[in-house]
Amino acid sequence: MERGSIEADDRALLHADCARCAALCCVLPPFAASADFAIDKPAGRACPNLAADDRCGIHAQLAERGFPGCVAFDCFGAGQQLVQVTYRGRDPRAEPGAAEVLDAMRQVSELLWYLSEALTRPAAAPVHPRLTAARNRARALRDAGAAELAALDTGGLRREAGVLLREVSELVRAELPGPRRDRSGADLLGRDLRRADLRAACLRGAYLIGADLRGVDLRGADLLGADLRGADLRGADLRDALFLTRPQVAAARTDGATVLPAGLG
Ligand code: SF4
């Protein structure tokens, strides 16, 4: 099997499969009332909108009812992994500490998504051995027990992977046309960026909430962790953008003219 096929298999597992879960994301995590959630909810208590059949009772009106965070949320397959593997045969909702285990599993799964994507980039070949080691560790952690996951230093894991993914970003973007501006962590909240040249830009961790990116050329831009809530991406070109995820796309405004990276369309 080719390398690309192997990585595609990894990412194919990293999708929420609610039919194989038990509504864990509606029970285990705490919510704070905010623009994303209309209510406060403590960890381990079922959301009042959760119906007896473990389906969301307001699924068709989530945004209108003040729950856009639920529209954008994606567990990267962590929920079904807890139900089917970590707690096999036991209901995670009845297990102490399961909220922390779900959070750790989600973070590991998200990292696995990024590492798997990085391994598909030919320009990142110089760091493929380190990427492979990090990817294998993340794979093994997905199969770890609840106690190991609960004790996991997720912050340390993310920092380590972040260094590696930055190297990947630099290697990949160095081969692409564009000014390759570094706007990492920039506060671009609500900005009109329609005239900005963001080809191969580094926008990791940038605050793009409500930014106007209509028709912008974002090919090859690094969007790792960029906050795209309410960003207007109608007609924007994001092909080959690095480290873009489904939750980021779901939180933004897109249309049929938005060009997304393969696998996110
Ligand atoms: S509003 Fe619906 S999707 Fe969101 S947590 Fe509650 S039941 Fe789940």
Side-chain angles (χ1 to χ4, degrees):
M1 192 183 282
E2 294 173 15
R3 175 185 295 281
S5 305
I6 294 169
E7 309 319 331
D9 282 353
D10 247 347
R11 286 190 286 169
L13 290 174
L14 302 172
H15 288 265
D17 182 352
C18 301
R20 298 176 65 236
C21 186
L24 299 190
C25 62
C26 303
V27 178
L28 295 180
F31 304 158
S34 63
D36 287 329
F37 301 104
I39 55 168
D40 284 322
K41 183 189 89 58
R45 183 178 300 170
C47 170
N49 297 318
L50 188 64
D53 62 357
D54 281 347
R55 291 170 188 264
C56 176
I58 61 166
H59 181 71
Q61 309 104 37
L62 279 167
E64 299 90 312
R65 299 278 292 271
F67 292 85
C70 298
V71 178
F73 180 80
D74 192 309
C75 74
F76 290 89
Q80 71 258 25
Q81 187 73 2
L82 252 67
V83 170
Q84 304 291 332
V85 178
T86 317
Y87 292 104
R88 193 186 336 236
R90 311 194 309 274
D91 185 345
R93 297 171 296 187
E95 296 288 330
E100 289 75 22
V101 176
L102 177 63
D103 181 54
M105 181 66 82
R106 186 185 182 279
Q107 295 198 51
V108 167
S109 301
E110 186 179 355
L111 275 185
L112 185 52
W113 171 276
Y114 297 135
L115 294 165
S116 298
E117 178 193 330
L119 278 161
T120 67
R121 304 278 184 166
V127 294
H128 274 184
R130 288 160 60 209
L131 282 171
T132 301
R135 186 271 313 272
N136 290 346
R137 183 168 179 226
R139 276 181 175 170
L141 282 168
R142 275 183 44 95
D143 292 329
E148 187 180 347
L149 285 161
L152 188 64
D153 175 11
T154 50
L157 196 66
R158 292 182 79 93
R159 277 192 295 280
E160 258 175 55
V163 171
L164 193 47
L165 295 173
R166 184 174 283 278
E167 289 182 53
V168 171
S169 172
E170 283 165 7
L171 287 165
V172 171
R173 291 184 302 108
E175 290 193 352
L176 298 174
R180 300 191 284 271
R181 294 201 168 89
D182 187 354
R183 306 304 311 270
S184 48
D187 182 354
L188 300 169
L189 194 144
R191 291 273 292 275
D192 183 348
L193 298 169
R194 284 176 293 170
R195 291 177 183 279
D197 189 346
L198 295 173
R199 287 174 299 155
C202 184
L203 290 162
R204 57 174 51 203
Y207 296 93
L208 289 157
I209 302 167
D212 191 344
L213 289 154
R214 279 177 291 168
V216 173
D217 188 346
L218 285 153
R219 284 177 294 170
D222 179 351
L223 289 159
L224 194 148
D227 194 334
L228 291 168
R229 283 176 292 168
D232 197 339
L233 290 170
R234 287 178 292 170
D237 189 347
L238 294 115
R239 83 189 73 179
D240 293 329
L242 286 136
F243 309 131
L244 186 66
T245 63
R246 290 184 304 276
Q248 285 172 303
V249 173
R253 185 172 185 191
T254 57
D255 66 7
T258 307
V259 182
L260 295 169
L264 290 179

